Amino acid sequence: MAGTSAEKSAAAKAKLAARFGRSTRTGGAGSVRRKKKAVHKTTSNDDKRLQSVMKKLQSNVIPAVEEANLFLEDGNVVHIERPKVQASIGANTYVISGKSETKPLNALLPGILTQLGTDNLDWEALSAAMRKEGVPGVPAADAGDDSDDDVPDLVENFEDASEAN
């Protein structure tokens, strides 16, 4: 008889588990069942903590910053339009906040050429990529005959001509 009540109990538990699911219980045994788990937002808490730390560092807001670009090693750029920039020069701390987009470098050319450093830039590859994509302000590469630009073949010996004079 005990086997049948245990089987009935297990079947009832399985039926309840299928009906309510495991994700609805947020506490231990005896807690209230909820329809769904509440999602807590921590971004405002992080913002408040960041603002309090910047206030302790006596940071200043830098006005009139139109855009900020962070160049990644893989060739992409994190582009932020109209960022809020805060700086604490004494602590060597800068905060740039705003809506960011990750874009390929070629998508922002030629507008960001002044921001690129010469030490990590391959000008030949950049020029070829700009010509291939048809970036405005860069002449497109001609696919036609470039016979005018070729160096002519030597037809006489210049050493003999210089010795004769």
Side-chain angles (χ1 to χ4, degrees), residues 29-159:
S31 67
V32 178
R33 292 183 188 265
R34 296 188 181 165
K35 298 288 182 190
K36 65 176 185 177
K37 289 186 179 181
V39 178
H40 299 288
K41 295 182 179 179
T42 59
T43 56
S44 63
N45 191 19
D46 292 340
D47 256 355
K48 290 177 185 177
R49 182 183 296 161
L50 177 65
Q51 292 301 325
S52 67
V53 168
M54 292 305 288
K55 190 173 184 180
K56 287 179 187 176
L57 293 174
Q58 299 175 347
S59 68
N60 298 322
V61 175
I62 300 175
V65 177
E66 295 177 7
E67 69 176 0
N69 292 314
L70 303 172
F71 298 95
L72 304 176
E73 291 179 0
D74 62 354
N76 290 330
V77 179
V78 178
H79 179 70
I80 305 170
E81 289 187 24
R82 296 180 304 279
K84 179 181 178 185
V85 180
Q86 296 174 310
S88 175
I89 297 174
N92 196 20
T93 304
Y94 301 90
V95 175
I96 301 173
S97 58
K99 184 180 177 186
S100 64
E101 298 175 325
T102 303
K103 297 181 178 181
L105 180 64
N106 293 340
L108 297 173
L109 289 175
I112 61 169
L113 283 177
T114 59
Q115 300 173 14
L116 296 174
T118 58
D119 55 342
N120 60 357
L121 187 61
D122 185 10
W123 287 101
E124 294 172 3
L126 182 63
S127 175
M130 288 174 61
R131 284 192 176 115
K132 184 175 78 175
E133 292 184 9
V135 175
V138 177
D142 292 332
D145 188 19
D146 291 336
S147 62
D148 295 340
D149 297 334
D150 291 342
V151 177
D153 294 333
L154 292 177
V155 290
E156 61 183 66
N157 191 350
F158 290 108
E159 291 179 5

